[in-house]
Every structure is written in C-alpha cells, then in structure tokens.
Amino acid sequence: MSLLVFLATGFSNLCCDPTASCLAARTMEASDAEPMNTEITPPTSRRRRKKSMVWEHFTIETISGSCTRACCKLCKQTFAYSNGSKVAGTSHLKRHIALGSCPKIKNLEKQQLALTSDTKADGDTIEPTKRRYRTSSFGYAFDQEQSCTYLAKMIIVHEYPLHMVEHPAFLSFVQSIQPRFKMNDVNAMEGEVLSVYHKEKLNLMQVLGTLPGRISLTIGLWTTSQTLGYICLSGQYIDLDWKLHRRMLNFMMVASPHSENALSEVISVSLSDWNMKTKLFTITLDNNCSSHDIYSANLRDHLSNKNTLVLKGQLFVVRCYANILNVVAQDVIASIHGIVYNIRESVKFVKASPAREEKFSEIALQIGIPGTKALSLDVTTLWNTTYIMLDAALEYKEAFTFLETCDDNYNEAPSADDWKKVEVVCTYLKLLYESANTVMVTIDQTANIFFQEAWKIQLELTNATSSQDLMVSSIAKEMHEKFDKYWKDCSLVLALAVVMDPRFKMKLVEFSFSKIYGEDSARYVKVVNDSIHELYLEYVMQPLPLTPAYIDQGEASHVNGNDNNPHTTPNPMGDGLLDFDIFLSETAVNQATKSELDQYLEESLVPRIHGFDILNWWKLNNLKYPILSKMAKDILAIPVSIVGTGCSIFGSGTGSRVLDEYRSSLRPETVEALFCAKDWLQYLPTFTESPSTMFAKLEF
C-alpha cells in the first residue's frame, strides 16, 4: 500500500511541477480568451465566496432552470453540480484534475517529461530558473523525507532486500515517476528501516502501557545456516475495548537458542524492555516435547522471584496446540511410511499421463467406485496433504489392485493389510485434521475454543487404546502416548478457559471428564473447581477502581442484555450520589453475599447460537462482574496456539524455522527491526485498506 501512496505522491508532483504549472497557466489563459456564452458569474449578494481551489479549473454553466453543471476550463468536459436544492459537491471534480483524468493534464505531463530530459546535455544538468508557484491543493507537495519513509515501509512490509535501492531498473522506474527523488544508498535505507521500527515501537509501548490486564507470551525458535539462532517473542492481550490482539515484541539473536538459559534470559530482557515485569501471565512454548520439561522448570525458577505467578505457577507454561497436532500426525504417518511411499508412487503412476488417468477412471467405473474424491499428490512437509492423498487413494484401493493385474508397468499396489492400516490411520488423522481446521477458521482464537477440540481427541484415542482390534489399539497407543502428555500438562488451562465461556461454564467440564475418566471424574472436576475459586480469590485481593452503582440508561440496557434502547448521553456528574456508592462498597464487604464467581456459575447457560461473541458478552457484563471480567480477560487471552489467525497450522510448530541466507547476513538489530516492524505495520489503516479506498480518502 505504501508503494501506491508513493506513486500517487509522485504523480501529483508532476501536476504541481513549475514547468507543468506554467504550461497549464498558458493553456487556461488561451481557454479563457475564447467566448463562452453559457458561463454564469456566481452572484455575490448573500452568498459565501467559493474557497475551494477546484474553481480555478472549473466554471459553472446553467443547463435548464435550476440545473447547473461544472465545466473544466482545460478539456471542456462537464460534470453534474446542482439540480435544484441538491448539490453534487466537488469530490468528483477534484479527482478529474488530481488523478489525471483530464486529457489536457496528461498532455502537460508528457511535455513536462520532455522538458526535463532536454535539460541534460553532455552530462551537465541545467538548473531551471527558480520561481515561486502557487501549490495546487489537489496533491501533496513533494517531500523527500516522507518518500524515503514510505520506501522503507514498502521494503519492510513486502520483505524486499535493502539493496533493491541499487537496482538499475528500480532506479529508472522511480526517476520516471519523480525525477527529484534522491535514492538513498543501502546504509541510509537501513537507517530508515530502524527509524520506522523505533517510531512504531514507541506507539506500541504506549498501547501496552494502558492495558488493564496482563499479557501472555508466545515463543518461537528460528535457526540460521550458522550456529546462531533467533528467539521470537509475541504478546497476546485483550484491550480496553475487549478486542484480542497479538503483536511481535522481540526477535533477538542468541548464540544457543536451545540451551536452558536462553529462553529465560531473552524473556527477562523483553519484560524489562517493554516495562511488563508485573504483567506476565502465561508463556506458550514452541519446542519439541523432550525439552519441554527442562524449559518449564527453568522458566519458573528464573521468573518466579520477579513475577507473582498465579496459582503458584500452574498456568505459567502452556504448550502449543498446533505443535501437538502436528507431532502426533507426523508420527503416525511415519509409522506406515512404507505404505505411504507405495501409495504416493501409485498416484504418480496414474497421473503421469492423461492416457493412464483415463484408463484408471474406466477401471474405477467398471468396478463401481463412485469416484467422489480426486487423486492428488501430497507435500511431504504438510501432513494434511498426506492425509488427503491417503483418504482419496483409500476409495480407489480396488482399482489399484486391478490395475496391477492388467498393467505390467505398475507393481506398487498396497496389500490388503496395508489398506487396512491406511484406513485406521485415516480415521484418527481425520480427528486431527478437522480440529485444526476448526481452530484456523476461528477469527478470534480465544483460549476457550480449544477445550472442546482437545477433550474429543483425548476421548477417542483413550477408547481406541482398549480396542479388541490389535491393529487399531497399536496405532492408537502411539498417538495417545504423546497427546495424553499434552492433555495432562494443559487440561487445567483449557478447562479454566472454557469455564469463562458462559455457554459451558463448569457443565462441559463435568460432562467431558465423566466421558474420559469415568468413575474418577469427580476428583478431576474438583481440581478445576478448586483452581477457579483459588484464582478468583487472587483477583479479589488485587485493587479495583470504584465501580459506581449509577449507570446511564444505555449501559443499563447492555447489562440486562437489551441492546435495543436508544443511546442516551451519559451524565458526567452521575446522579450526585457518589457518597452513597462509597457507602455501598464499604457495607458490601461486611455482608455474607455470594461472590461474583458463584453467581456466574449458578446462572443459566447462555444459548449456543451461531456467531456468539464471547468477548462482546464479557464487555456487556463488565459492570455486573467487575472482578470476574478482569480474570476472564487474562484467561481468554492465553495463546493456546502460537499459530495466529489466518495462518496454516499444518506443518507449523514441529521444529525451528530457518532464517534465509540474506537475512542471516544482516546485523541482528536490523533483522529484529524488519520482523517486528512488518508485524506492526500490517495493522495500520494505510496497509489494510484497498488501493481504491485509499485514493478515495486522499485529502486534496
């Protein structure tokens, strides 16, 4: 989007260039010399003088009666202006001049470029005579510094290399648009990138400084072709308006990113850098299972002395849900890697030529296979594509067997036992596949959505391990071993999050645990119930601002669930009973009333309707549950998955990501600036609007 603004700036400068302005003035003078019988002089009596610069280029002509049109002095085109009492405005007139729709202006542009090229002779540039020209209000005056900033943002957002500023083709392109622009060298452009980074960092620090609640971190590991690595820290939080956000905070180079002390040191530096030592809530790790316990113990020991960890650190470390889905899926696929290879080669054989595909389709038709799924090859690094390949091939298993008997060139058909293994594997891969898709399509990935996904997988795998079919039980045990470890580590976090969902509360926890644990479920339910009450008491001990008993009519309608009342202007002075509110607060402490948590849990469940917005529900019930809503804000903001909204879960989180050779060669501070600034800039309105919308909002 920054490139579009850059282009728009350059073009408007062409229109405002002194040479072009001079030519335009001569053309307009010639145009004014021609007689125009239809031109109307606007009356001066009792009418405000038209101040818009657009009337330097347009005149008003009367068509019939009270209907008038605006006529361009240059090209003589007419545009609607007024019809009786209705006035069309001047925006379309401004666009005609500023965006180059006028053919006369296009000709002036060509003449200006020609004059510019003629000023160069034998390598010497002839400076034009300096004169003052009135700047048109239809565009921005050329600003070298602003253009450099836009170029730096373009490089950041689109991940262009810094040395693109030295590419001859790019230099020629920029010069053709704005000859006065002086291109920076690589070092100067690196400075511009760092300047953008520091400016946006200050803006984000101001936002984080106003957070009413805590912030949760996610940690990702990156490696390079050298022995060095990077640790990426992002913060997830819910703002004052109950909107969920995730922002990258640091992208720091460390010598040994997999060492025990690396994470704790980076997190400590980041918390100090962002002034969040007392705001840390949870940390979600992206690392392999074997090192998870080491990281967890080390982080707790290092940070417990500096931060008050809730529930004695039981919620402190969270494992990535995307990570466990991918680990389990890839492990089970690896357990039948030989069969997967045969099916992959079989699909390759069929799709090698149109003739073979046609022959295979005829075989499937003869056997009576419906053919509802299309054969496709997988991407070996993305397990979802492997599942789709196996699932489709499973439908054509008889066709592959028949093909082997009638084609001597094909001998890769799996056996009957192999197909049975594929069928069992696909049954449980489907659980993981559907769960991943459910998470990815959710716009706001609040923590409450993961419990329902995780307990279903835990239940299915637990039941499958006791199956009478040895093949089913053996495959299920391999998958259940790792997923059960995740469930034991994270089930409490997931359960507390779903309790904060007014559609489920403790009821879903009781129901799901009865399915998983059977007769022992009461013991596990008690753990969740005790934990939620203990956590609530910790929030009760925290200071809260005085919550007034007086609210305006509009807020009252929100609290009662009625959003149909017309909005009323709140009274800044309330109803004059501030002392009464203080009295209520003092007397409420001495009364043995039910806590907010108990009231919330005892109330009826909210209906499970499509499109339910849990953050909006808590926003509307903030006054009703001031303490509980503060706790809900922190819990719902826990990033159960490090994979953000709109990103693919498949293939993510199963190992360190690799930094490319170019970025690995840059200075660490430059790498951090490029990564962080790109994350921050994508949320600015300039980079989220479409080009047409942005041009429509340009102020001429």
Side-chain angles (χ1 to χ4, degrees), residues 395-420:
E395 183 176 335
Y396 295 94
K397 61 180 180 179
E398 295 179 3
F400 281 113
T401 303
F402 186 86
L403 180 64
E404 191 173 35
T405 62
C406 62
D407 193 330
D408 296 334
N409 296 320
Y410 173 66
N411 57 1
E412 300 286 351
S415 64
D417 287 340
D418 290 342
W419 284 118
K420 185 178 179 180

Side-chain angles (χ1 to χ4, degrees), residues 573-597:
M573 299 302 295
D575 57 357
L577 294 176
L578 180 60
D579 292 340
F580 178 62
D581 293 334
I582 298 176
F583 170 75
L584 292 178
S585 300
E586 292 175 349
T587 57
V589 176
N590 300 323
Q591 295 176 356
T593 58
K594 291 182 179 180
S595 67
E596 291 179 16
L597 177 59

Side-chain angles (χ1 to χ4, degrees), residues 44 93 110 130 212 217 272 303 320 491 565 585 601 654 677 681:
T44 58
L93 306 181
K110 296 179 181 179
K130 295 183 177 180
L217 299 180
S272 300
L303 297 172
C320 175
S491 59
N565 291 340
S585 300
L601 294 177
T654 54
L681 289 174

Side-chain angles (χ1 to χ4, degrees), residues 21-31:
S21 301
C22 182
L23 291 173
R26 294 174 183 174
T27 306
M28 292 170 62
E29 291 174 1
S31 176

Side-chain angles (χ1 to χ4, degrees), residues 349-362 407:
F349 180 84
V350 171
K351 298 180 73 66
S353 67
R356 287 181 180 176
E357 285 190 274
E358 184 177 356
K359 180 181 179 180
F360 189 78
S361 298
E362 293 176 355
D407 193 330

Side-chain angles (χ1 to χ4, degrees), residues 3 36 39 120 161 215 394 398 424 479 555 564 605 686:
L3 181 58
M36 294 186 63
E39 183 174 335
K120 295 184 178 180
I215 189 169
L394 191 61
E398 295 179 3
V424 174
M479 301 177 69
E555 292 173 334
N564 298 323
L605 299 180
T686 308

